[in-house]
Amino acid sequence: EVQLVESGGDLVQPGGSLRLSCAASGFTFSSYWMSWVRQAPGKGLEWVANIRQDGSEKHYVESVKGRFTISRDNAKNSLYLQMDSLRVEDTAVYYCARSLVGWGECVYWGQGALVTVSS
Amino acid sequence: QTVVTQEPSLTVSPGGTVTLTCASSTGAVTSGYHPNWFQQKPGQAPRALIYNINNKHSWTPARFSGSLLGGKAALTLSGVQPEDEAEYYCLLYYGGAQAWVFGGGTKLTVL
């Protein structure tokens, strides 16, 4: 069974940093693209970033470029999102998601981690 | 800025049929956008329903189908059940930016 468990969500001040982690199990982690998706309170879904199986390719939504960094450790079956220069508008539940071969994006989801940016 | 547009809300009667659409501000949605569809119920993580236009996951009920329709991606529910009441999101791929963009979501009410 595919399992994705996010951790690291917290309350942080504007301008601060936070690192989210996603522990994966139940599948061969190194075989799949992985993504982060966020959802602000009461709002819709926003795709944030994804990373290739070997970490050699990373893509971001424009609003987080230069501030967020997606990475992975295939030996630890873990996905990360380093978030710097956080803004109030980054407040959201952050989901970790796994792709499917054949243009299936974000097929399996974790339960999410809440990040609150507030002074 | 690329915008993906969905109907904000739709209402359907139990047993009825409804089609949700997904449009791109860049023009017609074609196979190269690889549309995906998701269902989200309150307090839950999203659940994937359809990938790459019309491919179902093993857990996707048969009454859900995906297509391209009139320059948009479409999700059709046939024989709607009360449990289909939820928010539905489409997701499109933009190859130039190598990025995915979600639509704003459609709140489907079964009444």
Side-chain angles (χ1 to χ4, degrees):
Chain A
E1 180 193 2
V2 173
Q3 284 201 328
L4 299 168
V5 180
E6 301 91 340
S7 61
D10 205 348
L11 170 64
V12 61
Q13 291 189 337
S17 297
L18 202 60
R19 188 198 199 204
L20 299 182
S21 300
C22 172
S25 61
F27 64 98
T28 303
F29 181 72
S30 59
S31 296
Y32 298 94
W33 282 77
M34 296 294 297
S35 301
W36 288 99
V37 175
R38 67 184 179 183
Q39 187 168 34
K43 303 297 185 183
L45 301 172
E46 182 179 34
W47 180 88
V48 174
N50 68 357
I51 184 168
R52 192 185 180 92
Q53 290 93 327
D54 61 0
S56 62
E57 198 174 326
K58 306 173 185 181
H59 304 290
Y60 301 89
V61 67
E62 197 64 37
S63 59
V64 308
K65 284 182 181 177
R67 300 189 301 122
F68 289 12
T69 303
I70 189 172
S71 63
R72 65 192 297 162
D73 185 335
N74 288 342
K76 294 183 178 180
N77 292 335
S78 293
L79 177 72
Y80 306 102
L81 186 67
Q82 176 67 42
M83 302 183 290
D84 299 319
S85 302
L86 281 162
R87 305 168 180 168
V88 171
E89 55 265 34
D90 294 319
T91 295
V93 173
Y94 285 73
Y95 294 100
C96 161
R98 198 206 91 176
S99 69
L100 186 72
V101 174
W103 294 103
E105 179 71 1
C106 302
V107 173
Y108 297 94
W109 296 67
Q111 283 306 301
L114 176 62
V115 173
T116 302
V117 184
S118 174
S119 54
Chain B
Q1 180 185 352
T2 300
V3 177
V4 177
T5 302
Q6 299 181 243
E7 297 86 359
S9 63
L10 291 170
T11 300
V12 61
S13 300
T17 296
V18 64
T19 296
L20 290 64
T21 67
C22 175
S24 173
S25 62
T26 58
V29 176
T30 62
S31 59
Y33 287 81
H34 306 287
N36 286 244
W37 289 92
F38 302 84
Q39 178 193 66
Q40 187 179 34
K41 295 183 178 180
Q44 296 183 13
R47 180 175 76 139
L49 293 173
I50 299 287
Y51 67 99
N52 204 19
I53 305 175
N54 56 10
N55 294 276
K56 298 178 186 180
H57 298 290
S58 59
W59 53 82
T60 303
R63 60 184 180 274
F64 290 85
S65 63
S67 65
L68 295 178
L69 194 65
K72 300 179 183 180
L75 176 70
T76 299
L77 287 71
S78 304
V80 172
Q81 302 297 307
E83 60 265 30
D84 297 333
E85 183 163 292
E87 192 85 23
Y88 290 84
Y89 295 92
C90 65
L91 178 64
L92 300 180
Y93 180 69
Y94 291 82
Q98 293 183 290
W100 294 83
V101 180
F102 278 100
T106 295
K107 181 175 175 56
L108 182 67
T109 300
V110 181
L111 203 55

